[in-house]
PDB file of all heavy atoms in Angstrom:
ATOM      1  N   GLU A  70      10.874  35.979-127.201  1.00  0.00           N
ATOM      2  CA  GLU A  70      12.284  35.870-127.229  1.00  0.00           C
ATOM      3  C   GLU A  70      12.846  35.367-128.563  1.00  0.00           C
ATOM      4  O   GLU A  70      13.846  35.815-129.121  1.00  0.00           O
ATOM      5  CB  GLU A  70      12.722  34.876-126.108  1.00  0.00           C
ATOM      6  CG  GLU A  70      14.178  34.994-125.781  1.00  0.00           C
ATOM      7  CD  GLU A  70      14.562  34.022-124.645  1.00  0.00           C
ATOM      8  OE1 GLU A  70      13.832  34.070-123.622  1.00  0.00           O
ATOM      9  OE2 GLU A  70      15.559  33.371-124.761  1.00  0.00           O
ATOM     10  N   ARG A  73      12.493  38.113-131.058  1.00  0.00           N
ATOM     11  CA  ARG A  73      13.534  39.094-130.871  1.00  0.00           C
ATOM     12  C   ARG A  73      14.858  38.671-131.449  1.00  0.00           C
ATOM     13  O   ARG A  73      15.672  39.477-131.969  1.00  0.00           O
ATOM     14  CB  ARG A  73      13.821  39.387-129.350  1.00  0.00           C
ATOM     15  CG  ARG A  73      12.761  40.235-128.726  1.00  0.00           C
ATOM     16  CD  ARG A  73      13.336  41.367-127.910  1.00  0.00           C
ATOM     17  NE  ARG A  73      12.218  42.257-127.514  1.00  0.00           N
ATOM     18  CZ  ARG A  73      11.462  41.884-126.463  1.00  0.00           C
ATOM     19  NH1 ARG A  73      11.642  40.823-125.777  1.00  0.00           N
ATOM     20  NH2 ARG A  73      10.462  42.707-126.148  1.00  0.00           N
ATOM     21  N   TYR A 187      25.077  35.500-137.406  1.00  0.00           N
ATOM     22  CA  TYR A 187      24.826  35.665-135.971  1.00  0.00           C
ATOM     23  C   TYR A 187      24.126  37.025-135.768  1.00  0.00           C
ATOM     24  O   TYR A 187      24.436  37.955-136.481  1.00  0.00           O
ATOM     25  CB  TYR A 187      26.076  35.674-135.196  1.00  0.00           C
ATOM     26  CG  TYR A 187      26.863  34.354-135.189  1.00  0.00           C
ATOM     27  CD1 TYR A 187      27.961  34.154-136.059  1.00  0.00           C
ATOM     28  CD2 TYR A 187      26.512  33.352-134.331  1.00  0.00           C
ATOM     29  CE1 TYR A 187      28.629  32.962-136.059  1.00  0.00           C
ATOM     30  CE2 TYR A 187      27.238  32.188-134.299  1.00  0.00           C
ATOM     31  CZ  TYR A 187      28.310  31.930-135.158  1.00  0.00           C
ATOM     32  OH  TYR A 187      28.970  30.855-135.162  1.00  0.00           O
ATOM     33  N   LEU A 190      25.739  42.313-131.610  1.00  0.00           N
ATOM     34  CA  LEU A 190      25.329  42.898-130.303  1.00  0.00           C
ATOM     35  C   LEU A 190      24.463  44.192-130.574  1.00  0.00           C
ATOM     36  O   LEU A 190      23.563  44.459-129.851  1.00  0.00           O
ATOM     37  CB  LEU A 190      26.550  43.275-129.520  1.00  0.00           C
ATOM     38  CG  LEU A 190      26.896  42.123-128.627  1.00  0.00           C
ATOM     39  CD1 LEU A 190      28.230  41.508-128.948  1.00  0.00           C
ATOM     40  CD2 LEU A 190      26.799  42.500-127.222  1.00  0.00           C
ATOM     41  N   MET A 194      20.834  44.740-129.059  1.00  0.00           N
ATOM     42  CA  MET A 194      20.489  45.925-128.268  1.00  0.00           C
ATOM     43  C   MET A 194      19.380  46.741-128.983  1.00  0.00           C
ATOM     44  O   MET A 194      18.564  47.356-128.340  1.00  0.00           O
ATOM     45  CB  MET A 194      21.664  46.803-128.004  1.00  0.00           C
ATOM     46  CG  MET A 194      22.847  46.119-127.266  1.00  0.00           C
ATOM     47  SD  MET A 194      22.342  45.313-125.750  1.00  0.00           S
ATOM     48  CE  MET A 194      22.049  46.714-124.684  1.00  0.00           C
ATOM     49  N   LYS A 197      15.103  45.564-128.979  1.00  0.00           N
ATOM     50  CA  LYS A 197      14.038  45.974-128.035  1.00  0.00           C
ATOM     51  C   LYS A 197      13.292  47.245-128.511  1.00  0.00           C
ATOM     52  O   LYS A 197      12.179  47.537-128.038  1.00  0.00           O
ATOM     53  CB  LYS A 197      14.621  46.117-126.675  1.00  0.00           C
ATOM     54  CG  LYS A 197      15.642  47.177-126.485  1.00  0.00           C
ATOM     55  CD  LYS A 197      16.185  47.167-125.053  1.00  0.00           C
ATOM     56  CE  LYS A 197      17.463  47.927-124.976  1.00  0.00           C
ATOM     57  NZ  LYS A 197      18.199  47.756-123.691  1.00  0.00           N
TER      58      LYS A 197
ATOM     59  N   ASP B   7      16.034  39.913-121.390  1.00  0.00           N
ATOM     60  CA  ASP B   7      16.073  39.431-122.774  1.00  0.00           C
ATOM     61  C   ASP B   7      17.366  39.678-123.477  1.00  0.00           C
ATOM     62  O   ASP B   7      17.909  38.782-124.143  1.00  0.00           O
ATOM     63  CB  ASP B   7      14.933  40.066-123.620  1.00  0.00           C
ATOM     64  CG  ASP B   7      13.560  39.444-123.243  1.00  0.00           C
ATOM     65  OD1 ASP B   7      13.574  38.488-122.519  1.00  0.00           O
ATOM     66  OD2 ASP B   7      12.551  40.041-123.683  1.00  0.00           O
ATOM     67  N   GLU B   8      17.938  40.869-123.302  1.00  0.00           N
ATOM     68  CA  GLU B   8      19.212  41.204-123.925  1.00  0.00           C
ATOM     69  C   GLU B   8      20.333  40.336-123.412  1.00  0.00           C
ATOM     70  O   GLU B   8      21.149  39.814-124.167  1.00  0.00           O
ATOM     71  CB  GLU B   8      19.558  42.704-123.791  1.00  0.00           C
ATOM     72  CG  GLU B   8      18.719  43.637-124.637  1.00  0.00           C
ATOM     73  CD  GLU B   8      17.406  43.900-123.983  1.00  0.00           C
ATOM     74  OE1 GLU B   8      17.321  43.882-122.705  1.00  0.00           O
ATOM     75  OE2 GLU B   8      16.390  43.983-124.744  1.00  0.00           O
ATOM     76  N   ARG B  10      20.144  37.428-122.022  1.00  0.00           N
ATOM     77  CA  ARG B  10      20.040  36.016-122.507  1.00  0.00           C
ATOM     78  C   ARG B  10      20.419  35.903-123.974  1.00  0.00           C
ATOM     79  O   ARG B  10      21.103  34.950-124.368  1.00  0.00           O
ATOM     80  CB  ARG B  10      18.569  35.559-122.359  1.00  0.00           C
ATOM     81  CG  ARG B  10      18.217  35.103-120.944  1.00  0.00           C
ATOM     82  CD  ARG B  10      16.749  34.902-120.837  1.00  0.00           C
ATOM     83  NE  ARG B  10      16.275  33.864-121.722  1.00  0.00           N
ATOM     84  CZ  ARG B  10      15.985  32.600-121.327  1.00  0.00           C
ATOM     85  NH1 ARG B  10      16.195  32.273-120.040  1.00  0.00           N
ATOM     86  NH2 ARG B  10      15.598  31.709-122.160  1.00  0.00           N
ATOM     87  N   GLU B  23      32.534  28.465-133.704  1.00  0.00           N
ATOM     88  CA  GLU B  23      33.689  29.111-134.368  1.00  0.00           C
ATOM     89  C   GLU B  23      35.002  28.900-133.580  1.00  0.00           C
ATOM     90  O   GLU B  23      36.083  28.794-134.172  1.00  0.00           O
ATOM     91  CB  GLU B  23      33.474  30.632-134.525  1.00  0.00           C
ATOM     92  CG  GLU B  23      32.117  31.007-135.132  1.00  0.00           C
ATOM     93  CD  GLU B  23      32.105  30.985-136.645  1.00  0.00           C
ATOM     94  OE1 GLU B  23      33.151  31.047-137.226  1.00  0.00           O
ATOM     95  OE2 GLU B  23      31.021  30.851-137.194  1.00  0.00           O
ATOM     96  N   LEU B  48      30.683  41.353-134.734  1.00  0.00           N
ATOM     97  CA  LEU B  48      29.540  41.095-133.862  1.00  0.00           C
ATOM     98  C   LEU B  48      29.373  42.115-132.810  1.00  0.00           C
ATOM     99  O   LEU B  48      28.303  42.234-132.144  1.00  0.00           O
ATOM    100  CB  LEU B  48      29.658  39.718-133.232  1.00  0.00           C
ATOM    101  CG  LEU B  48      29.494  38.542-134.186  1.00  0.00           C
ATOM    102  CD1 LEU B  48      29.753  37.194-133.404  1.00  0.00           C
ATOM    103  CD2 LEU B  48      28.100  38.506-134.762  1.00  0.00           C
ATOM    104  N   ALA B  62      28.705  48.518-127.971  1.00  0.00           N
ATOM    105  CA  ALA B  62      27.335  47.908-128.097  1.00  0.00           C
ATOM    106  C   ALA B  62      26.366  48.379-127.025  1.00  0.00           C
ATOM    107  O   ALA B  62      25.153  48.138-127.084  1.00  0.00           O
ATOM    108  CB  ALA B  62      27.452  46.398-128.061  1.00  0.00           C
TER     109      ALA B  62
END
Side-chain angles (χ1 to χ4, degrees):
Chain A
E70 197 176 313
R73 284 229 174 79
Y187 292 99
L190 269 118
M194 301 308 287
K197 62 183 163 190
Chain B
D7 285 349
E8 287 78 35
R10 280 170 62 101
E23 312 275 338
L48 291 175

